[in-house]
Amino acid sequence: MNTSIMYDEILAQRLGLIPLNINPDLFTFMKSNDESTDLNTLVFQLNVTCTKKKNSPSQTSNDGEKYDHVKVMSSDLVWVPQGDQKEKIDDIRPVHDDIEIVRLRPGDSISGIFHARKGVGQEHAKWSPVGKPTL
């Protein structure tokens, strides 16, 4: 669910570009006809709603002082272990906690479950951090 001003497609791309702090050797590549398993997929949950702070100053123009969760950050992503991932892997999280995903206005919310899988930039150019796609 996304009630922010950002289109779902753009939000999905921004989420897909967040680097994760995980050893990629622990996971296998997922082929197009494979199903998601704990060996090839990580699951993250995001549930953020912008609400007005209690006892917030009414005369301030700073949205951060008036509202909670104005900025949805990469630190808001919560890893949901699947299968025996909890025993094999410590904590999985984004490399940087301060990556801004989207800004919300009061009443806006974003909630969903997101699947991350191991891939390479050659598969699709939008996942390649630099350079041009190979043909």
Side-chain angles (χ1 to χ4, degrees), residues 39-58:
L39 299 175
N40 61 21
T41 303
L42 292 171
V43 178
F44 290 89
Q45 185 174 13
L46 181 65
N47 190 10
V48 180
T49 301
C50 181
T51 56
K52 187 170 183 167
K53 287 183 180 179
K54 294 177 183 171
N55 303 324
S56 64
S58 58

Side-chain angles (χ1 to χ4, degrees), residues 43-131:
V43 178
F44 290 89
Q45 185 174 13
L46 181 65
N47 190 10
V48 180
T49 301
C50 181
T51 56
K52 187 170 183 167
K53 287 183 180 179
K54 294 177 183 171
N55 303 324
S56 64
S58 58
Q59 300 301 323
T60 184
S61 61
N62 184 352
D63 286 344
E65 293 177 8
K66 287 197 247 183
Y67 308 108
D68 283 322
H69 295 296
V70 172
K71 296 179 182 180
V72 178
M73 307 298 277
S74 56
S75 59
D76 294 322
L77 288 169
V78 177
W79 173 48
V80 182
Q82 303 295 307
D84 61 349
Q85 288 179 345
K86 188 84 168 167
E87 289 80 30
K88 289 183 184 177
I89 308 164
D90 290 333
D91 190 27
I92 297 176
R93 56 163 143 235
V95 173
H96 304 286
D97 288 337
D98 60 348
I99 299 172
E100 185 174 326
I101 300 170
V102 65
R103 290 185 184 211
L104 301 178
R105 297 299 304 154
D108 287 351
S109 65
I110 294 178
S111 64
I113 297 174
F114 307 99
H115 295 247
R117 63 185 178 115
K118 184 176 178 178
V120 294
Q122 185 177 4
E123 186 178 335
H124 198 289
K126 71 180 173 188
W127 293 317
S128 181
V130 294

